[in-house]
Amino acid sequence: MSNHPDSVVRAHVEAHRSDFLDDLGEWLRIPSVSADPDRAGDVRRSAEWLAAALTATGFPVAEVWESDGLPAVFAEWPSGEPGAPTVLIYGHHDVQPAAVEDGWDTDPFEPAVRDGRMYARGAADDKGQVFFHTLGVRAHLAATGRTAPAVNLKLLIEGEEESGSPNFSALLRAHADRLACDAVIVSDTGMWAEDTPTVCTGMRGLTDCQIDLYGPGRDIHSGSFGGAVPNPATEAARLAAALHDDDRRVTVPGFYDGVVELTDRERELFAELPFDEAAWLRTAHSTAALGESGFTTLERVWARPTAEVNGIHGGYGGPGGKTIVPASAQLKLSFRLVAGQDAEKVQQAVRDWVAARLPAGIRHEIRFHGATRPCLTPLDHPALQSVVRAMGRAFGQEIRFTREGGSGPAADLQDVLGVPVLFLGISVPSDGWHSANEKVELDLLLKGAETAAHLWDDLARNWHPGAE
Amino acid sequence: MSNHPDSVVRAHVEAHRSDFLDDLGEWLRIPSVSADPDRAGDVRRSAEWLAAALTATGFPVAEVWESDGLPAVFAEWPSGEPGAPTVLIYGHHDVQPAAVEDGWDTDPFEPAVRDGRMYARGAADDKGQVFFHTLGVRAHLAATGRTAPAVNLKLLIEGEEESGSPNFSALLRAHADRLACDAVIVSDTGMWAEDTPTVCTGMRGLTDCQIDLYGPGRDIHSGSFGGAVPNPATEAARLAAALHDDDRRVTVPGFYDGVVELTDRERELFAELPFDEAAWLRTAHSTAALGESGFTTLERVWARPTAEVNGIHGGYGGPGGKTIVPASAQLKLSFRLVAGQDAEKVQQAVRDWVAARLPAGIRHEIRFHGATRPCLTPLDHPALQSVVRAMGRAFGQEIRFTREGGSGPAADLQDVLGVPVLFLGISVPSDGWHSANEKVELDLLLKGAETAAHLWDDLARNWHPGAE
């Protein structure tokens, strides 16, 4: 056996593969469904199981943290090296609901290994991707001969992610001192494909609102009054329609202010991905692409801010016709935000735009439901480069870049802790998150462990947070 | 007492006022609510009561006509004069539901006379306005010394008008030969106000449709797909918004083809009406007027074709937000038509317009729910001039002109019988049609009888339908 660190890491991972999968299987048997109040005890049992497993891995600190909802797990393993960077790994130990009746081939809470895959609820989302870090840190110690990791390692594994993380922000604020770090590594995402390892460099932000429009005091007769008084359903439609111009650009003045535009290099890298638009359209259950002129589909969902009509309702919706001018209408809009946009400024811009467009005789109310900020790591960020190198060593392939069109708790981590957020995920689109027969590819899971093993060493050598 | 016909008519009406009101009261006690299946026997009893009353008035033919729904009443009184015009009076003997609990001061089916008004369900809509013809034709005979009316009189009084006249068109077609006439006089409308007697010269037509738009095969995640595939709620909104330009003119190409424009004289006459926009807005439960540029509110509702969004529904409508691109959306549109427009051509224009505006990836279905044609009698039509003269004699005032923005079975009469439709109504806006405390002004009711008495003689003298 070679003494090259990559060989040592691989040998360690291979040697412990069987025990690692047995342990993961044990955790997956705990049905930690956060959405089901009857499973609250299982979510707690899952947290306790994980804390014990982290202790067994060597973490000197491993605690179950209470929240106003379901418990999270915190663990910490100081490096002992002065000046070492501190990294916080984020993941979650709760899972989506699952039942054999939903179309599973085997019991979702009885892990089954077939054809190099482990099938179970949570195998990829997110227990597998949390648990590879236990194997990764042991491989890192084996390869470096250290007794503690080269970086100060922290883990925060929440228990309510599948229920929308209602208490996560409060938990972060309550423990901000113990969570202090130089970067967060989110271990709850995926790669482009089995044969195309990638690193996600950002997620879009989100803010959404409800606009209620009020016209006549009650539904009125369209024969007697139609065409002579304002119609709130028409005005809701005019707002929704005016959101985009014919190039499908958002028309709200100031909406694009500050947007960090894609660099030519990023566009080239996106374009190099083996994107099959027909296959993508199938996953979108759609038959045609449509979006902002001048951008590709991937650019539109990953890197462009968008406005979407999530719902529009006004007037009669039953069978046949009813010749009324309706009394009210409602519009639900969401805005995906990218780096450089300020959610509060976007909200104000939308408020102003709505108020300026409505005619006399239409009263309106607009309520925003909060905001999730976008996050984006520049391609030349040294910690991101470490992730790319670590993945490259594990996968033996060029690592490409993706982004995530959705929005998530990563933004809370970035905001509350005030540090960059990186993404390390080995799941692939076929893993079936939230669906029947969720699985994880065992080879990729072990490559995740290898990546983590390389990453701590690379970060300690190459990243000096204070010096940026 | 003067022998001038006007004096004889007035004297006859005054002399029989008490009996007439007693008889009307008896009819109003029959709760002929067509919408209530439990009242079907009362609707039949109402028809039988009316047929007997018409026989007692002198009509040699008075029959209850069966339909696939509730019965109508037909009566006929030939003039005996060769070449006399034939006039068909239209009205209805069914009424809207009513109950004391709805806010009536007295039992809606126990007529109460207070302050010169008779309060009862159907007093104005439409039993009172049907029944004044019995008094009118007797006064006509008294004033002319005739034993039969000067015109061939027919009555068709339907029993399902308040339920949307579902079997009326079929009834007309089944009996078209017996209903043959030179003009229809609709006795189911109103006047501008107590002190402003008017004749309605037309009603708008109507056609309405439902447009279903289909996008993704299911609701999809707006983070993963939003901004890159077409959104059917957005497209429904874009259609609804594009219906009108910023001048609130309908943009569908060809929509205005053939529209009979208002003449300068008609616009002058409308403008002379004592229109109080603030009061009108209160009846519209609205706080501002809005409509096609270049037209007044009255012109907009009476004489301009319009497009209205009766309903728009797509995507999420529950509490909070849901970040989806919805799978489908639905739009319900109605179009009010004026003379000169062809409903089928408008329908085809809308179909073409919708199909041309939707992007790839949005499938649509459009269904029209039928069409009611507009009707309009030119101000110089000799039969209309007879109505105006007859009203003028009864009211002793200048008679002004209105139109009706709504649409109704008048159009069926015009279409099936192929003759002009005139309107003779003495109800006023305060009569409370379809509301609690419906009433009719007794003075106006008797003036209606006087108008009818004058009208038959005037028509026989001045109108020669074949000679137009």
Side-chain angles (χ1 to χ4, degrees):
Chain A
M1 188 192 285
S2 158
N3 278 331
H4 186 281
D6 292 13
S7 301
V8 178
V9 163
R10 186 149 302 158
H12 182 93
V13 164
E14 282 301 322
H16 294 83
R17 171 190 171 111
S18 176
D19 289 347
F20 167 74
L21 294 181
D22 286 351
D23 290 347
L24 174 59
E26 193 175 301
W27 193 22
L28 289 168
R29 281 187 190 91
I30 303 173
S32 49
V33 179
S34 57
D36 184 350
D38 291 344
R39 296 292 192 194
D42 291 311
V43 178
R44 179 166 300 280
R45 199 151 58 87
S46 162
E48 288 164 353
W49 187 96
L50 176 61
L54 292 168
T55 299
T57 299
F59 280 82
V61 173
E63 303 170 359
V64 173
W65 276 4
E66 300 301 328
S67 76
D68 282 347
L70 296 164
V73 174
F74 174 75
E76 187 171 7
W77 197 339
S79 160
E81 304 281 355
T86 302
V87 170
L88 174 70
I89 297 166
Y90 165 82
H92 60 92
H93 68 93
D94 63 318
V95 299
Q96 280 277 313
V100 174
E101 307 85 79
D102 299 338
W104 287 74
D105 294 332
T106 51
D107 185 336
F109 297 107
E110 187 51 60
V113 173
R114 296 193 296 275
D115 304 328
R117 296 160 175 167
M118 181 179 280
Y119 289 87
R121 173 57 85 225
D125 177 20
D126 182 34
K127 285 175 174 168
Q129 301 206 87
V130 168
F131 204 59
F132 75 58
H133 284 289
T134 61
L135 184 55
V137 70
R138 296 296 331 171
H140 163 61
L141 299 182
T144 57
R146 302 179 55 88
T147 53
V151 298
N152 300 303
L153 261 192
K154 298 181 180 181
L155 276 90
L156 179 64
I157 310 301
E158 73 158 316
E160 297 186 305
E161 198 272 348
E162 300 293 4
S163 297
S165 304
N167 302 292
F168 186 61
S169 182
L171 189 79
L172 289 182
R173 287 171 211 282
H175 297 283
D177 54 339
R178 297 192 67 192
L179 295 168
C181 59
D182 299 304
V184 172
I185 293 186
V186 170
S187 242
D188 184 30
T189 57
M191 313 193 307
W192 180 265
E194 282 85 335
D195 57 359
T196 310
T198 53
V199 172
C200 173
T201 65
M203 297 182 82
R204 290 195 293 185
L206 172 68
T207 186
D208 68 301
C209 67
Q210 175 171 329
I211 305 169
D212 289 290
L213 303 180
Y214 302 98
R218 61 184 71 169
D219 291 354
I220 58 174
H221 192 282
S222 75
S224 305
F225 303 109
V229 293
N231 175 331
T234 299
E235 297 309 320
R238 288 170 77 99
L239 283 180
L243 264 182
H244 300 92
D245 64 19
D246 286 342
D247 288 328
R248 303 285 166 161
R249 269 179 74 83
V250 177
T251 62
V252 176
F255 181 73
Y256 291 99
D257 283 0
V259 162
V260 174
E261 300 289 340
L262 281 162
T263 63
D264 290 347
R265 178 70 187 136
E266 284 170 311
R267 300 188 77 169
E268 280 170 28
L269 288 170
F270 285 0
E272 284 172 20
L273 287 167
F275 178 64
D276 176 346
E277 186 152 281
W280 181 86
L281 281 171
R282 283 193 294 277
T283 68
H285 301 278
S286 295
T287 57
L290 183 70
E292 188 184 356
S293 290
F295 294 93
T296 67
T297 289
L298 282 184
E299 290 167 353
R300 288 167 178 165
V301 293
W302 284 352
R304 296 301 298 169
T306 56
E308 202 69 47
V309 179
N310 304 126
I312 183 168
H313 292 276
Y316 183 66
K322 191 174 180 190
T323 48
I324 55 167
V325 177
S328 66
Q330 182 197 77
L331 197 53
K332 287 182 190 275
L333 305 179
S334 62
F335 301 87
R336 297 282 166 178
L337 309 176
V338 300
Q341 282 181 300
D342 180 299
E344 283 70 34
K345 284 189 183 164
V346 167
Q347 291 176 357
Q348 192 56 49
V350 172
R351 287 179 196 280
D352 293 346
W353 178 80
V354 169
R357 293 190 65 85
L358 293 174
I362 298 287
R363 184 170 66 78
H364 81 285
E365 291 169 6
I366 179 167
R367 275 169 296 166
F368 277 88
H369 302 131
T372 303
R373 286 176 207 283
C375 49
L376 180 67
T377 309
L379 295 189
D380 59 1
H381 191 285
L384 177 61
Q385 304 231 323
S386 289
V387 173
V388 170
R389 276 192 300 270
M391 276 192 87
R393 286 162 70 184
F395 285 81
Q397 282 180 268
E398 183 186 354
I399 307 303
R400 297 167 182 274
F401 297 94
T402 66
R403 294 197 198 173
E404 172 61 50
S407 312
D412 278 336
L413 293 157
Q414 171 188 255
D415 279 4
V416 177
L417 304 179
V419 296
V421 171
L422 306 169
F423 299 88
L424 172 58
I426 53 76
S427 182
V428 288
S430 62
D431 282 351
W433 290 29
H434 299 200
S435 298
N437 296 316
E438 179 182 347
K439 54 89 178 165
V440 69
E441 301 282 333
L442 296 183
D443 282 355
L444 299 182
L445 195 63
L446 298 176
K447 284 190 163 59
E450 288 186 45
T451 300
H454 300 312
L455 179 58
W456 312 138
D457 196 46
D458 193 299
L459 280 173
R461 287 176 193 275
N462 297 302
W463 186 37
H464 309 288
E468 274 158 23
Chain B
M1 187 192 286
S2 159
N3 279 327
H4 187 282
D6 292 12
S7 301
V8 178
V9 163
R10 184 148 303 157
H12 182 94
V13 164
E14 282 302 322
H16 294 83
R17 171 190 170 110
S18 176
D19 290 347
F20 167 74
L21 294 181
D22 285 351
D23 290 346
L24 174 58
E26 192 175 303
W27 193 21
L28 289 168
R29 282 188 189 91
I30 304 173
S32 50
V33 179
S34 56
D36 183 351
D38 291 345
R39 295 295 192 193
D42 291 313
V43 178
R44 179 167 299 279
R45 199 152 59 87
S46 162
E48 288 164 354
W49 188 98
L50 176 61
L54 292 168
T55 300
T57 299
F59 280 81
V61 174
E63 304 170 359
V64 173
W65 276 4
E66 301 301 329
S67 75
D68 283 348
L70 296 164
V73 174
F74 173 76
E76 186 171 9
W77 196 340
S79 159
E81 303 281 353
T86 302
V87 170
L88 174 70
I89 298 166
Y90 165 82
H92 61 91
H93 68 92
D94 64 319
V95 298
Q96 281 276 314
V100 174
E101 307 85 77
D102 299 338
W104 287 74
D105 294 331
T106 50
D107 185 334
F109 297 107
E110 187 51 58
V113 173
R114 296 193 296 275
D115 305 326
R117 297 161 174 165
M118 181 179 281
Y119 289 86
R121 173 58 85 225
D125 177 21
D126 183 37
K127 285 174 174 169
Q129 301 205 86
V130 167
F131 204 58
F132 75 59
H133 284 289
T134 62
L135 183 56
V137 70
R138 294 303 324 176
H140 163 60
L141 299 181
T144 57
R146 302 179 56 88
T147 54
V151 299
N152 301 303
L153 262 193
K154 298 181 180 181
L155 276 92
L156 178 64
I157 310 300
E158 72 158 316
E160 296 187 305
E161 198 272 347
E162 299 295 3
S163 297
S165 303
N167 302 292
F168 187 61
S169 182
L171 189 79
L172 289 181
R173 287 170 212 282
H175 297 285
D177 54 339
R178 297 192 66 192
L179 296 168
C181 59
D182 299 304
V184 171
I185 293 186
V186 170
S187 243
D188 184 30
T189 55
M191 313 193 307
W192 181 264
E194 284 84 335
D195 56 359
T196 310
T198 52
V199 172
C200 173
T201 66
M203 298 181 81
R204 291 195 293 186
L206 173 68
T207 187
D208 68 300
C209 66
Q210 175 171 327
I211 305 170
D212 289 289
L213 304 180
Y214 301 98
R218 61 184 71 171
D219 292 353
I220 57 174
H221 192 284
S222 75
S224 305
F225 302 109
V229 294
N231 175 331
T234 299
E235 297 308 321
R238 288 171 77 99
L239 283 179
L243 265 181
H244 301 93
D245 64 19
D246 285 342
D247 288 328
R248 303 284 168 163
R249 268 180 73 84
V250 177
T251 62
V252 176
F255 181 73
Y256 291 99
D257 283 0
V259 161
V260 174
E261 299 290 340
L262 281 162
T263 63
D264 290 346
R265 177 73 187 132
E266 285 170 310
R267 300 188 78 168
E268 281 169 26
L269 288 170
F270 285 0
E272 284 171 20
L273 288 167
F275 178 64
D276 177 346
E277 187 152 281
W280 180 86
L281 281 171
R282 284 193 294 276
T283 69
H285 302 276
S286 295
T287 56
L290 183 70
E292 189 183 356
S293 290
F295 294 93
T296 67
T297 290
L298 282 184
E299 290 167 351
R300 287 167 179 165
V301 293
W302 285 353
R304 295 302 299 169
T306 56
E308 203 69 46
V309 178
N310 304 126
I312 183 168
H313 291 276
Y316 183 66
K322 191 174 180 190
T323 48
I324 56 168
V325 177
S328 65
Q330 182 196 76
L331 196 54
K332 288 183 190 275
L333 305 179
S334 62
F335 301 87
R336 297 284 166 177
L337 308 176
V338 300
Q341 281 181 300
D342 180 300
E344 283 69 35
K345 284 189 183 163
V346 167
Q347 290 176 357
Q348 192 57 49
V350 172
R351 287 178 196 280
D352 293 346
W353 178 79
V354 168
R357 293 189 66 85
L358 293 174
I362 297 287
R363 184 170 66 78
H364 80 284
E365 292 170 6
I366 178 168
R367 274 168 297 164
F368 277 88
H369 302 131
T372 302
R373 287 177 206 283
C375 49
L376 180 67
T377 309
L379 295 189
D380 59 0
H381 190 285
L384 177 61
Q385 305 233 323
S386 288
V387 173
V388 171
R389 276 191 300 270
M391 276 192 88
R393 288 163 69 186
F395 284 81
Q397 281 180 266
E398 184 187 353
I399 307 303
R400 296 168 182 274
F401 297 94
T402 65
R403 293 196 199 175
E404 172 60 49
S407 313
D412 277 336
L413 294 157
Q414 171 189 255
D415 280 3
V416 177
L417 305 178
V419 297
V421 171
L422 305 170
F423 299 88
L424 171 57
I426 54 76
S427 181
V428 287
S430 61
D431 282 352
W433 291 28
H434 300 200
S435 297
N437 296 318
E438 179 181 346
K439 54 87 178 166
V440 70
E441 301 282 333
L442 297 182
D443 282 354
L444 299 181
L445 195 63
L446 299 176
K447 283 190 164 55
E450 286 185 48
T451 301
H454 300 312
L455 179 58
W456 313 137
D457 196 46
D458 193 300
L459 279 172
R461 286 176 194 276
N462 297 302
W463 186 36
H464 308 289
E468 276 158 23

